[in-house]
Amino acid sequence: MEMTEAEVIVADVTTWFQDYHELIVEIGLKALFALLIFLIGTYVAGVVRRQTDKRLKSRGVDPAVSGFVAKIIQITIVGAVLVATLNEIGVETTSLVAVLGAAGLAIGLALKDSLSNFSSGVMIIVLKPFRSGDFIEASGIVGVVKTIELFSTKLVTPDNKVIILPNSTVYASEITNYSALPTRRVDIVVGISYESDMRDAKSVIMTALKANDFVLNEPEPVVAVSELADSSVNLVVRPWVNTADYWMARFAIIEDVKRALDDNDITIPFPQMDVHFDKG
C-alpha cells in the first residue's frame, strides 16, 4: 500500500530521530548543565560580593574600598563561570583564551582611557588620599565623597548636586582633603579704622572668641595685626575649631566678632578716598 506524503514525512522524521536521539539527548543535557552552571555561578558571585562587602564593612574597612573590592571579586567569579559554561557546551576554551587575549589587547588600546580610570581607581583605593564621607576638593570640584567606583568617583556638593569625576582626573589633580584631620583653623581678616585703638580691638575680639562654644582652647586663638591698609588696620583672626563644625563655627565667629566690635564702638571702616582740587 502506497504511503501518503504526510506519512512519508513522519517516517523520515522518526528515522532521523532514531538515528540522532542519543546526540540530541547529549546536547540537551550539556545545554541544561551549562545553563545551570551559569545561573548558579552568577548567583554565587552576587552572594559572594554582598558577603564580602558586609564582612569588610564590619571590620571597619571604608565603604568605598569594600564596595570596590567586592565588585572586583564578583567580576572575577563571573569570568570563571563563563569559561566553565563554554567548556560544558564543548567550546575549546584553550583557543578561546588565546583569542580573548588578542581581542583584549585590541580592546585595551581602544579603551585606554577607561583602563586609565580603572588603574587610577585602584591607586586611590590603595593610597587612600580620601575615604567615603570625606569633604574634599579635586579637579576644582568641592564635595563629600559618596562612592569610589571602578571608573569614577561620585561627589555630592554642598548644594546637593551629584558630580561624577573620572578616576584618572581625580588622581592626576591636586587633592585637598578637608576631613583628614580632626581640627581646622578659621582664617578671618577684620579691618578697623586708624582712629580705633588696636589693643582694645584685639582684646574685644579675643574675648568674643573665647565666649564662642565652637572655638577650641587648644591651640589658642590668634589675633594679630597683619597689614596697614589704605583705609583700615587689618587684623587676622585665627581660632581653631573641630573639622565637623567648620562652617557653622565660621559663620558664628564672624557674627560674634562684628557684634563685639559694635558694642565697644570700634569702627569697621568703608574704603575711602580723599580728592583734592587745585584751584589754579
Side-chain angles (χ1 to χ4, degrees), residues 191-262:
I192 62 172
S193 67
Y194 276 92
E195 288 76 17
S196 298
D197 189 286
M198 290 185 299
R199 288 171 294 185
D200 288 346
K202 291 169 62 178
S203 177
V204 166
I205 293 173
M206 184 64 75
T207 301
L209 292 178
K210 292 183 176 180
N212 188 291
D213 293 335
F214 290 111
V215 176
L216 302 176
N217 294 325
E218 291 293 336
E220 187 176 358
V222 172
V223 180
V225 178
S226 65
E227 182 184 12
L228 301 178
D230 293 337
S231 303
S232 64
V233 177
N234 290 340
L235 307 178
V236 288
V237 181
R238 294 177 175 176
W240 288 81
V241 300
N242 290 320
T243 299
D245 300 329
Y246 178 82
W247 286 109
M248 291 301 298
R250 182 181 178 86
F251 299 150
I253 290 167
I254 292 174
E255 182 175 342
D256 288 352
V257 169
K258 177 63 167 65
R259 287 178 182 274
L261 293 176
D262 289 345

Side-chain angles (χ1 to χ4, degrees), residues 63-85:
V65 176
S66 64
F68 190 93
V69 172
K71 191 67 175 179
I72 293 295
I73 292 174
Q74 182 186 23
I75 292 173
T76 303
I77 294 174
V78 170
V81 168
L82 286 175
V83 173
T85 301

Side-chain angles (χ1 to χ4, degrees), residues 276-280:
H276 301 274
F277 292 95
D278 187 352
K279 292 182 180 180

Side-chain angles (χ1 to χ4, degrees), residues 93-105:
T93 54
T94 304
S95 58
L96 179 63
V97 169
V99 172
L100 289 177
L105 178 60

Side-chain angles (χ1 to χ4, degrees), residues 20-264:
Y20 294 100
H21 76 279
E22 292 183 359
L23 180 61
I24 293 173
V25 171
E26 183 181 354
I27 293 175
L29 289 175
K30 284 186 176 182
L32 179 61
F33 285 138
L35 180 61
L36 288 174
I37 290 173
F38 180 76
L39 293 177
I40 294 173
T42 52
Y43 173 76
V44 170
V47 172
V48 171
R49 180 185 65 81
R50 290 190 294 271
Q51 290 299 319
T52 301
D53 189 31
K54 183 178 179 180
R55 292 288 182 86
L56 291 175
K57 286 180 179 177
S58 67
R59 295 182 180 181
V61 177
D62 184 75
V65 176
S66 64
F68 190 93
V69 172
K71 191 67 175 179
I72 293 295
I73 292 174
Q74 182 186 23
I75 292 173
T76 303
I77 294 174
V78 170
V81 168
L82 286 175
V83 173
T85 301
L86 294 174
N87 188 59
E88 181 61 31
I89 62 177
V91 177
E92 183 59 44
T93 54
T94 304
S95 58
L96 179 63
V97 169
V99 172
L100 289 177
L105 178 60
I107 294 172
L109 293 175
L111 301 177
K112 59 180 181 179
D113 291 337
S114 296
L115 293 177
S116 175
N117 289 328
F118 177 79
S119 61
S120 297
V122 172
M123 294 304 296
I124 290 172
I125 293 298
V126 172
L127 299 179
K128 299 178 182 178
F130 53 82
R131 299 172 179 268
S132 178
D134 283 355
F135 185 67
I136 70 168
E137 180 178 356
S139 192
I141 305 297
V142 177
V144 176
V145 179
K146 187 68 174 178
T147 56
I148 304 171
E149 300 178 350
L150 291 178
F151 301 104
S152 62
T153 296
K154 185 182 295 184
L155 301 181
V156 179
T157 63
D159 57 346
N160 211 33
K161 293 186 294 188
V162 176
I163 306 293
I164 299 175
L165 295 174
N167 283 335
S168 59
T169 301
V170 174
Y171 188 67
S173 68
E174 180 178 317
I175 299 172
T176 302
N177 190 337
Y178 296 105
S179 302
L181 299 175
T183 59
R184 284 184 64 186
R185 191 182 71 189
V186 178
D187 288 354
I188 301 170
V189 177
V190 178
I192 62 172
S193 67
Y194 276 92
E195 288 76 17
S196 298
D197 189 286
M198 290 185 299
R199 288 171 294 185
D200 288 346
K202 291 169 62 178
S203 177
V204 166
I205 293 173
M206 184 64 75
T207 301
L209 292 178
K210 292 183 176 180
N212 188 291
D213 293 335
F214 290 111
V215 176
L216 302 176
N217 294 325
E218 291 293 336
E220 187 176 358
V222 172
V223 180
V225 178
S226 65
E227 182 184 12
L228 301 178
D230 293 337
S231 303
S232 64
V233 177
N234 290 340
L235 307 178
V236 288
V237 181
R238 294 177 175 176
W240 288 81
V241 300
N242 290 320
T243 299
D245 300 329
Y246 178 82
W247 286 109
M248 291 301 298
R250 182 181 178 86
F251 299 150
I253 290 167
I254 292 174
E255 182 175 342
D256 288 352
V257 169
K258 177 63 167 65
R259 287 178 182 274
L261 293 176
D262 289 345
D263 291 343
N264 288 273

